[in-house]
Amino acid sequence: MSAFDAEAFLKTLTTRCGVYQMYGADGGLLYVGKARNLKSRVASYFRNRGLNAKTVALVSRITDIQVTVTATEVDALLLEHNLIKSHRPPFNILLKDDKSYPYIFLSSEDSFPRLALHRGPKRRKGRYFGPYPSAGAVRRSLHFLQKVFKVRQCEDSYFRNRSRPCLQYQIDRCTAPCVDLVSEADYAQQVENTALFLEGKNQELMVRLADDMEQAASELAYEKAAVLRDQLRQLQHVQATQGVEGGSGDLDLLAAVTEGGHSCVQVLFVRGARVLGSRTFYPSTKLAETPEGLLGAFLPQFYLSEGRALPPEIVLNAAPEDSETLEEAFSLQAGRRVRLRHRVREARARWLQMAEQTAATNLAAHLAGRESTQERLQALQEVLELEAYPQRMECFDISHSSGEATVASCVVFDENGPRKADYRRFNIDGITAGDDYAAMEQALNRRFKRLKAGEGSVPDVLFIDGGKGQVQQALDVLAELELEGILVVGVAKGATRKAGFETLVLGASGIEQNLPANSPALHLIQQIRDEAHRFAISGHRARRDKARRGSRLEDIPGVGARRRRELLRHFGSARGVANASVDELKKTQGISATMAQQIYDHLHSTAD
């Protein structure tokens, strides 16, 4: 078949809006696109210069182009979406995940309403909360609600045929309305609290629970007050885990990042000012090589599918070229206005930053996972001059807060990655506070004395997070225990203390070596070192928090009996106050922004 005559085709092409379809020699559809001006858009594919490699590859295969003129740009967008969905052209971004989102359903026809996961048409009478990003997110929410408010989640057929309480009642996850062990009024109150939580009205709910708790205590109903206290703690905990406060409304946030011909789109779902979860997509970039182009192709595929819920607001980290057309199409599908925004402030800006950082992190991990493990091990073998691939690598790190609650970690990697079953932590005691050398010596002694006694396997390489001093401690311990054949390597931070500038200290020779930032061997060492650091910090924090379990509120300047009472009333416990952010503290009655910052600084005064 002869080559496509673009010049002749463009002479008669209309300047109106519409959709163009590009076909190959076998008659297969290569690409579908929409355009405000068909002639201008199609002509851009046949420029003499300025085209990227993927566009050149597409143009070289074109043997025919067909166009469909539409009345509006929205019609063009919808037609483009339907054609992509029907024909799945190889040069278009294709979204594989096309399932409907799940909801939480609260029935309204029963004397004792039921909570359940729901997916599909909303036919039953009741309230539907969501959508949630996944069935797993719904199940986690249902599990939390079952522990806190104890609203039944059993099937109606099961509920109606009970003659005695089931296991859920025995483990305190249900109040057994099936056998009338709870009054309709009390059950209705728990249902109302559940609905408030699912609507995102956490502050209103916590104030109500705090008032009820005080009233129950004043009436000497201490068991009821304890139940309300526990509910308040659970709610405060789940609110704290959201990470960002001060937002409102229902919205989705999408952040797109591209690197090295690969891309990632992170979708963050916010409902009632609570982050319900997120999803990660790795669409092929095809012809879209910028975040703007990627989002422009991704958004119609994601939101114009059947059953896909559209929130009133969609926040993006880059503005697609056809944002207005997308807004109009989404509003038409939703039956109400849908706004696309990319310039946001305060809570939305923090949520968007969270999504963008997550996308960048996930893309980096995705690309790292594609790098051959064998390549990394081979590079490490060459760098360390080993006779064969290292079969077992261990790394030690120390974590403490100015000498408090010192913990050492030992992580293990082999040719398949982390061996978490072999991870160990060591609580360090009996040393001078802050003496990292002594802490390292104690941890290594405890680890390798067990090895000497026949416990565990001998590592080929022992990485130490530190420089020559820490390496010497390791060498001394191994020599004292008469253990040979273990290569000790120190991983010291460079002068800038940034990733990629680490200095390796090689064993007894003390030779220092710096690897290129793109070295696969360095990437593997960084991964092992970072995992040891993470494992040590988590152990240290757990030990420190256990030691600090007592209340420190009495030590805060300016916080007297009245303010302590309001803080404990709002958060349920001293630990709840300690886990609160500055924004959360400000919501407490009588606590100004300055006082909130002072309280937060005092409770977090010791750096990790």
Side-chain angles (χ1 to χ4, degrees):
M1 183 176 290
S2 60
F4 180 68
D5 189 348
E7 185 176 354
F9 177 78
L10 290 170
K11 283 181 180 179
T12 59
L13 187 57
T14 180
T15 58
R16 294 176 61 184
C17 66
V19 171
Y20 54 94
Q21 299 165 251
M22 297 175 170
Y23 292 88
D26 59 354
L29 185 59
L30 299 173
Y31 183 73
V32 176
K34 64 182 182 303
R36 182 179 303 172
N37 182 322
L38 281 168
K39 185 170 186 174
S40 175
R41 184 71 184 94
V42 173
S44 69
Y45 289 93
F46 298 96
R47 300 194 304 263
N48 292 328
R49 57 185 178 180
L51 300 177
N52 61 51
K54 293 179 181 178
T55 304
V56 171
L58 168 64
V59 172
S60 67
R61 298 173 60 182
I62 295 173
T63 59
D64 186 27
I65 299 178
Q66 297 179 10
V67 300
T68 303
V69 177
T70 59
T72 67
E73 291 178 52
V74 173
D75 291 339
L77 175 67
L78 296 175
L79 177 58
E80 178 199 40
H81 167 71
N82 290 331
L83 288 171
I84 292 173
K85 189 175 180 180
S86 300
H87 299 285
R88 305 184 70 79
F91 281 84
N92 284 99
I93 286 179
L94 304 176
L95 184 60
K96 297 179 181 179
D97 184 357
D98 198 27
K99 298 184 294 184
S100 63
Y101 284 114
Y103 289 76
I104 288 180
F105 171 68
L106 179 61
S107 65
S108 62
E109 297 176 310
D110 309 307
S111 300
F112 297 100
R114 173 192 178 223
L115 274 176
L117 182 152
H118 174 86
R119 196 195 291 271
K122 302 172 184 176
R123 296 194 179 100
R124 291 193 60 188
K125 290 184 179 179
R127 301 181 64 183
Y128 295 86
F129 301 93
Y132 284 75
S134 66
V138 173
R139 293 189 183 98
R140 286 191 294 272
S141 296
L142 288 174
H143 180 67
F144 170 78
L145 291 168
Q146 192 176 43
K147 289 196 300 182
V148 178
F149 298 118
K150 302 177 178 59
V151 173
R152 75 176 182 93
Q153 298 181 19
C154 56
E155 295 285 349
D156 290 339
S157 57
Y158 184 83
F159 173 77
R160 295 186 184 115
N161 291 287
R162 294 298 300 176
S163 59
R164 59 179 182 175
C166 68
L167 179 63
Q168 295 301 319
Y169 173 78
Q170 303 296 334
I171 63 174
D172 200 27
R173 294 293 186 268
C174 182
T175 51
C178 53
V179 291
D180 298 323
L181 293 186
V182 60
S183 68
E184 286 193 27
D186 288 344
Y187 191 85
Q189 182 64 55
Q190 296 297 73
V191 170
E192 186 178 352
N193 290 343
T194 299
L196 284 174
F197 174 81
L198 291 171
E199 289 170 353
K201 299 178 180 178
N202 284 16
Q203 293 301 318
E204 179 182 339
L205 177 56
M206 286 192 289
V207 169
R208 176 181 296 187
L209 290 175
D211 291 339
D212 291 346
M213 179 179 67
E214 285 196 346
Q215 182 178 349
S218 65
E219 295 173 355
L220 306 184
Y222 296 122
E223 290 186 5
K224 181 178 179 181
V227 170
L228 293 167
R229 177 204 62 199
D230 292 342
Q231 290 181 347
L232 194 60
R233 285 179 178 174
Q234 293 271 14
L235 286 171
Q236 185 56 45
H237 173 71
V238 78
Q239 180 168 314
T241 59
Q242 299 304 320
V244 179
E245 297 298 328
S248 62
D250 297 345
L251 63 148
D252 289 351
L253 301 102
L254 285 82
V257 296
T258 61
E259 181 182 345
H262 299 275
S263 63
C264 176
V265 177
Q266 192 73 27
V267 187
L268 200 68
F269 303 90
V270 177
R271 299 294 181 268
R274 291 188 300 113
V275 180
L276 296 185
S278 65
R279 280 189 177 181
T280 307
F281 299 88
Y282 300 101
S284 173
T285 52
K286 301 300 181 184
L287 303 182
E289 294 191 331
T290 64
E292 292 82 0
L294 181 61
L295 287 172
F298 180 87
L299 285 166
Q301 292 292 305
F302 187 70
Y303 283 114
L304 295 181
S305 302
E306 294 181 8
R308 186 79 70 184
L310 274 157
E313 184 179 348
I314 300 172
V315 178
L316 311 170
N317 71 325
E321 181 181 346
D322 49 358
S323 294
E324 294 180 4
T325 304
L326 289 168
E327 266 194 1
E328 191 175 347
F330 293 165
S331 299
L332 184 66
Q333 170 139 322
R336 52 173 165 72
R337 186 182 179 190
V338 176
R339 297 178 61 196
L340 295 184
R341 301 174 62 191
H342 72 282
R343 292 191 178 95
V344 291
R345 297 182 298 176
E346 298 178 349
R348 281 164 171 74
R350 296 194 295 272
W351 276 323
L352 186 59
Q353 183 184 27
M354 182 193 305
E356 195 163 18
Q357 289 175 344
T358 304
T361 301
N362 287 344
L363 181 58
H366 182 67
L367 294 176
R370 299 167 67 94
E371 189 176 73
S372 169
T373 302
Q374 293 295 320
E375 180 187 0
R376 287 184 166 193
L377 289 171
Q378 182 178 357
L380 185 63
Q381 177 190 353
E382 294 173 357
V383 166
L384 301 182
E385 299 180 357
L386 301 173
E387 294 181 358
Y389 290 164
Q391 299 298 309
R392 182 184 176 94
M393 297 163 285
E394 297 186 6
C395 184
F396 280 74
D397 189 23
I398 306 293
S399 180
H400 57 80
S401 298
S402 299
E404 179 190 6
T406 303
V407 171
S409 70
C410 171
V411 301
V412 182
F413 277 63
D414 61 14
E415 68 274 12
N416 298 314
R419 286 180 57 91
K420 295 195 174 184
D422 290 354
Y423 282 18
R424 294 292 182 269
R425 288 196 185 102
F426 305 93
N427 290 335
I428 305 300
D429 295 304
I431 64 170
T432 303
D435 188 344
D436 287 354
Y437 292 156
M440 182 65 73
E441 181 185 14
Q442 185 179 134
L444 291 167
N445 260 308
R446 290 165 63 181
R447 157 71 178 104
F448 288 106
K449 280 182 179 178
R450 293 177 183 176
L451 180 63
K452 191 76 172 176
E455 290 186 36
S457 302
V458 179
D460 299 307
V461 183
L462 174 60
F463 292 107
I464 303 294
D465 185 19
K468 290 185 177 180
Q470 285 86 348
V471 168
Q472 190 58 52
Q473 291 291 338
L475 292 171
D476 291 345
V477 169
L478 295 178
E480 184 180 343
L481 296 175
E482 299 179 348
L483 292 171
E484 299 178 353
I486 301 174
L487 175 61
V488 179
V489 179
V491 186
K493 296 181 176 66
T496 62
R497 302 185 69 82
K498 292 182 179 179
F501 295 91
E502 291 86 351
T503 299
L504 303 185
V505 181
L506 303 179
S509 68
I511 295 174
E512 296 186 358
Q513 184 175 359
N514 294 94
L515 301 180
N518 62 352
S519 166
L522 180 60
H523 295 166
L524 178 58
I525 293 171
Q526 288 171 334
Q527 181 186 2
I528 298 172
R529 187 271 318 275
D530 291 345
E531 177 66 358
H533 189 57
R534 178 201 66 79
F535 196 54
I537 285 179
S538 60
H540 156 65
R541 287 175 175 167
R543 189 184 186 195
R544 182 194 62 189
D545 292 346
K546 184 178 180 180
R548 296 179 179 180
R549 194 157 289 172
S551 174
R552 298 176 60 200
L553 301 183
E554 291 84 355
D555 302 329
I556 304 175
V559 177
R562 184 180 63 81
R563 281 180 171 152
R564 282 200 300 272
R565 176 180 173 276
E566 289 299 330
L567 286 166
L568 292 171
R569 180 177 179 272
H570 185 85
F571 294 99
S573 68
R575 188 170 187 178
V577 179
N579 290 334
S581 67
V582 174
D583 287 338
E584 292 167 343
L585 291 168
K586 287 192 297 188
K587 296 173 184 176
T588 307
Q589 184 177 349
I591 303 297
S592 65
T594 302
M595 179 56 68
Q597 187 65 55
Q598 184 176 337
I599 294 170
Y600 182 88
D601 290 343
H602 181 88
L603 296 175
H604 300 79
S605 58
T606 305
D608 292 331

